[in-house]
Amino acid sequence: MYSSVAHLARANPFNAPHLQLVHDGLAGPRGSPAGPPGPPRRSRSLAAAAAEEQYSCDYGSGRFFILCGLGGIISCGTTHTALVPLDLVKCRMQVDPQKYKGIFNGFSVTLKEDGVRGLAKGWAPTFIGYSMQGLCKFGFYEVFKVLYSNMLGEENAYLWRTSLYLAASASAEFFADIALAPMEAAKVRIQTQPGYANTLRDAAPKMYKEEGLKAFYKGVAPLWMRQIPYTMMKFACFERTVEALYKFVVPKPRSECSKPEQLVVTFVAGYIAGVFCAIVSHPADSVVSVLNKEKGSSASQVLQRLGFKGVWKGLFARIIMIGTLTALQWFIYDSVKVYFRLPRPPPPEMPESLKKKLGLTQ
């Protein structure tokens, strides 16, 4: 048991390439080959696909990116909308902790004041905003992953794959937050300012009349602060967790697993990634919630006023929400890929050319 835990710890997403080679038993202490190689394994690059499967398009094609974007719309739009009640309570706990003292108290107070229908406040901007964000997040992630892989080359893409995941996801989220910001601003106004507006149709014109376009984009910088670290963790942690699960936990290679079994691994890896995502992004999330409620405040002023303790209010609710959210998003996104028969590259393995350089193959 302890041996397995140690292996997983050494296989963390931030292992340096040389340390990863040592851990895999492919290099000695100074990078030299470590004795005779073990049984040969079929090598697959990041963009490789199982030869026995028939796909509807090529990996990295225009159709592939479009359908990945569609998968992002479905996975993000539906999951965020389904969790609107929990998100509403979490936002109210952040902006008014004296009134909403905990997750269960927050639900109780909201039901008493607004009724059951009140829990659905903000569903429209949530659905529209996070659908657009999902389109950019997942679609552009696949674009940037292919782009950066080609720039690095096959060997470096394998050695520096964690950095590749981090860079691709950060690049994608930069654009995704620009698409999300207007609807996120409207959603927070509807959810946290009683009497301001009950629908997007009422909130958007009112916001524009009061503050102009600035009302919709003043939260974009805090969104980058919240979402870019969140998305970097979401994608890099997920990719490396899937790799570790197939390597240390799943008793057979992925190629021998059925599609439902593969989707279970996807869900588990997504939930693990989601817990870390929630912790990393929560302070910035608190700032965004307060900033969109108040007029004339800056992110630095809100952060200073909340203090260290204040930015962690509502963390438990966010862990539940983001853990479930991330797991479902990856599950739905992977299911869309299965449905449309898109290439789903297996966990990466060392390229043959790198094995030859290390003296592992003849």
mmCIF file of all heavy atoms in Angstrom, residues 9 140 150-151 169 192 195 232 289 305 362:
data_model
loop_
_atom_site.group_PDB
_atom_site.id
_atom_site.type_symbol
_atom_site.label_atom_id
_atom_site.label_comp_id
_atom_site.label_asym_id
_atom_site.label_seq_id
_atom_site.Cartn_x
_atom_site.Cartn_y
_atom_site.Cartn_z
ATOM 1 N N ALA A 9 2.980 9.593 -5.545
ATOM 2 C CA ALA A 9 3.565 10.868 -5.150
ATOM 3 C C ALA A 9 4.681 11.275 -6.103
ATOM 4 O O ALA A 9 4.801 12.434 -6.499
ATOM 5 C CB ALA A 9 4.106 10.784 -3.723
ATOM 6 N N PHE A 140 -10.359 25.606 -27.602
ATOM 7 C CA PHE A 140 -9.037 26.220 -27.747
ATOM 8 C C PHE A 140 -7.951 25.403 -27.048
ATOM 9 O O PHE A 140 -6.790 25.435 -27.460
ATOM 10 C CB PHE A 140 -9.051 27.657 -27.217
ATOM 11 C CG PHE A 140 -9.721 28.644 -28.131
ATOM 12 C CD1 PHE A 140 -10.090 29.900 -27.665
ATOM 13 C CD2 PHE A 140 -9.988 28.329 -29.448
ATOM 14 C CE1 PHE A 140 -10.717 30.815 -28.494
ATOM 15 C CE2 PHE A 140 -10.614 29.233 -30.288
ATOM 16 C CZ PHE A 140 -10.977 30.482 -29.813
ATOM 17 N N ASN A 150 3.378 20.630 -31.713
ATOM 18 C CA ASN A 150 4.111 20.736 -32.969
ATOM 19 C C ASN A 150 5.337 21.635 -32.833
ATOM 20 O O ASN A 150 6.381 21.386 -33.436
ATOM 21 C CB ASN A 150 3.199 21.263 -34.077
ATOM 22 C CG ASN A 150 2.113 20.270 -34.445
ATOM 23 O OD1 ASN A 150 2.254 19.076 -34.232
ATOM 24 N ND2 ASN A 150 1.014 20.763 -35.005
ATOM 25 N N MET A 151 5.200 22.686 -32.023
ATOM 26 C CA MET A 151 6.328 23.592 -31.800
ATOM 27 C C MET A 151 7.445 22.904 -31.023
ATOM 28 O O MET A 151 8.631 23.113 -31.297
ATOM 29 C CB MET A 151 5.858 24.844 -31.050
ATOM 30 C CG MET A 151 4.962 25.766 -31.860
ATOM 31 S SD MET A 151 4.209 27.071 -30.850
ATOM 32 C CE MET A 151 5.655 27.949 -30.270
ATOM 33 N N SER A 169 -3.824 25.155 -21.560
ATOM 34 C CA SER A 169 -5.045 25.482 -20.806
ATOM 35 C C SER A 169 -5.081 26.952 -20.411
ATOM 36 O O SER A 169 -6.144 27.591 -20.456
ATOM 37 C CB SER A 169 -5.153 24.595 -19.564
ATOM 38 O OG SER A 169 -4.004 24.704 -18.749
ATOM 39 N N THR A 192 -27.061 38.351 -6.036
ATOM 40 C CA THR A 192 -26.610 38.919 -4.758
ATOM 41 C C THR A 192 -27.206 40.286 -4.418
ATOM 42 O O THR A 192 -26.979 40.781 -3.316
ATOM 43 C CB THR A 192 -25.077 39.049 -4.753
ATOM 44 O OG1 THR A 192 -24.657 39.938 -5.793
ATOM 45 C CG2 THR A 192 -24.421 37.686 -4.955
ATOM 46 N N GLY A 195 -33.792 42.731 -5.374
ATOM 47 C CA GLY A 195 -34.549 43.825 -5.965
ATOM 48 C C GLY A 195 -33.890 44.458 -7.170
ATOM 49 O O GLY A 195 -34.513 45.309 -7.833
ATOM 50 N N MET A 232 -5.753 25.729 -15.434
ATOM 51 C CA MET A 232 -4.443 25.076 -15.508
ATOM 52 C C MET A 232 -4.418 23.827 -14.638
ATOM 53 O O MET A 232 -3.937 22.765 -15.049
ATOM 54 C CB MET A 232 -3.337 26.053 -15.093
ATOM 55 C CG MET A 232 -3.134 27.203 -16.076
ATOM 56 S SD MET A 232 -2.040 28.493 -15.435
ATOM 57 C CE MET A 232 -0.456 27.664 -15.516
ATOM 58 N N SER A 289 -17.023 37.823 -6.776
ATOM 59 C CA SER A 289 -18.402 37.911 -6.286
ATOM 60 C C SER A 289 -18.672 39.259 -5.634
ATOM 61 O O SER A 289 -19.707 39.888 -5.882
ATOM 62 C CB SER A 289 -18.669 36.785 -5.272
ATOM 63 O OG SER A 289 -18.587 35.530 -5.897
ATOM 64 N N ARG A 305 -9.978 44.473 1.957
ATOM 65 C CA ARG A 305 -11.068 44.535 2.927
ATOM 66 C C ARG A 305 -11.491 43.145 3.420
ATOM 67 O O ARG A 305 -11.805 42.964 4.590
ATOM 68 C CB ARG A 305 -12.269 45.249 2.295
ATOM 69 C CG ARG A 305 -13.377 45.533 3.320
ATOM 70 C CD ARG A 305 -14.425 46.472 2.788
ATOM 71 N NE ARG A 305 -15.245 45.890 1.744
ATOM 72 C CZ ARG A 305 -15.134 46.171 0.460
ATOM 73 N NH1 ARG A 305 -14.218 47.041 0.050
ATOM 74 N NH2 ARG A 305 -15.914 45.604 -0.443
ATOM 75 N N GLN A 362 17.139 -1.137 -29.845
ATOM 76 C CA GLN A 362 18.194 -1.241 -30.855
ATOM 77 C C GLN A 362 17.786 -0.483 -32.114
ATOM 78 O O GLN A 362 16.632 -0.448 -32.462
ATOM 79 C CB GLN A 362 18.438 -2.720 -31.194
ATOM 80 C CG GLN A 362 18.942 -3.500 -29.992
ATOM 81 C CD GLN A 362 20.249 -2.978 -29.420
ATOM 82 O OE1 GLN A 362 21.121 -2.581 -30.188
ATOM 83 N NE2 GLN A 362 20.399 -2.991 -28.115
#
